[in-house]
């Protein structure tokens, strides 16, 4: 399980979910963030063995502080999934404690430049696609 409670939203609705009896059984649940990728791969491979089509295999990884995931580790995990017969990896979820501000700062710097480039490219009033 990823979290004891989740809130999922889209443009029209908000979905709330809570693990059954999480207020009293919280210690009995195992967090997906604490399961090593190889263990999760082996679990998915068992399910995949009896499933005709690819399954939505989600993987979870904590990236704390300045830590990162090495490319070699990602490749090794991929080859292990192939070896065990997994047909796909649906998501590689990452929980970070640091670095989200840096991503937001990059977006803030890049956004004005991107808007300027778009406005420069859309000055042609004869272009129907540019005025949509």
């Amino acid at each position: 399980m990823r979290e004891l409670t989740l809130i999922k939203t889209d443009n029209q609705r908000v979905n709330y979910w809570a693990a059954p009896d999480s207020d009293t059984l919280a210690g009995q649940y195992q967090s997906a963030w604490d399961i090593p990728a190889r263990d999760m791969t082996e679990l998915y491979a068992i399910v995949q063995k009896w499933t005709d089509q690819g399954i939505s295999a989600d993987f979870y990884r904590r990236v704390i502080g300045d830590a990162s995931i090495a490319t070699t580790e990602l490749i090794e995990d991929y080859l292990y999934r192939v070896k065990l017969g997994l047909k796909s990896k649906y998501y590689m979820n990452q929980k970070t404690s640091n670095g989200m501000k840096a991503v937001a700062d990059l977006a803030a710097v890049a956004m004005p430049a991107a808007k300027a480039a778009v406005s420069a490219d859309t000055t042609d009033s004869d272009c129907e696609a540019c005025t949509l």
Side-chain angles (χ1 to χ4, degrees):
M1 143 172 343
R2 188 169 38 174
E3 303 291 340
L4 290 175
T5 60
L6 290 173
I7 299 173
K8 293 280 197 165
T9 63
D10 63 17
N11 292 335
Q12 299 174 350
R13 57 191 148 267
V14 177
N15 295 313
Y16 300 95
W17 179 86
D21 298 320
S22 61
D23 52 341
T24 57
L25 298 176
Q28 303 300 315
Y29 287 101
Q30 184 174 14
S31 172
W33 301 105
D34 297 330
I35 301 173
R38 286 198 169 241
D39 291 350
M40 196 71 98
T41 299
E42 291 166 0
L43 174 73
Y44 286 133
I46 292 168
V47 173
Q48 182 69 74
K49 187 173 182 175
W50 288 279
T51 306
D52 290 338
Q53 56 193 5
I55 58 175
S56 298
D58 288 352
F59 292 88
Y60 300 87
R61 178 70 189 267
R62 278 195 179 108
V63 182
I64 305 299
D66 292 334
S68 62
I69 304 172
T71 304
T72 54
E73 183 180 346
L74 293 174
I75 292 170
E76 287 171 359
D77 288 347
Y78 170 77
L79 293 174
Y80 190 63
R81 287 192 297 272
V82 170
K83 178 182 176 182
L84 294 184
L86 285 182
K87 297 177 182 175
S88 68
K89 169 186 64 96
Y90 193 61
Y91 283 116
M92 172 55 98
N93 299 288
Q94 298 176 17
K95 182 184 266 191
T96 61
S97 65
N98 196 10
M100 295 311 291
K101 183 180 182 303
V103 171
D105 291 344
L106 281 174
V109 169
M111 190 59 69
K115 285 182 181 178
V118 169
S119 66
D121 290 341
T122 60
T123 57
D124 186 2
S125 62
D126 295 335
C127 176
E128 182 181 333
C130 296
T131 59
L132 293 178

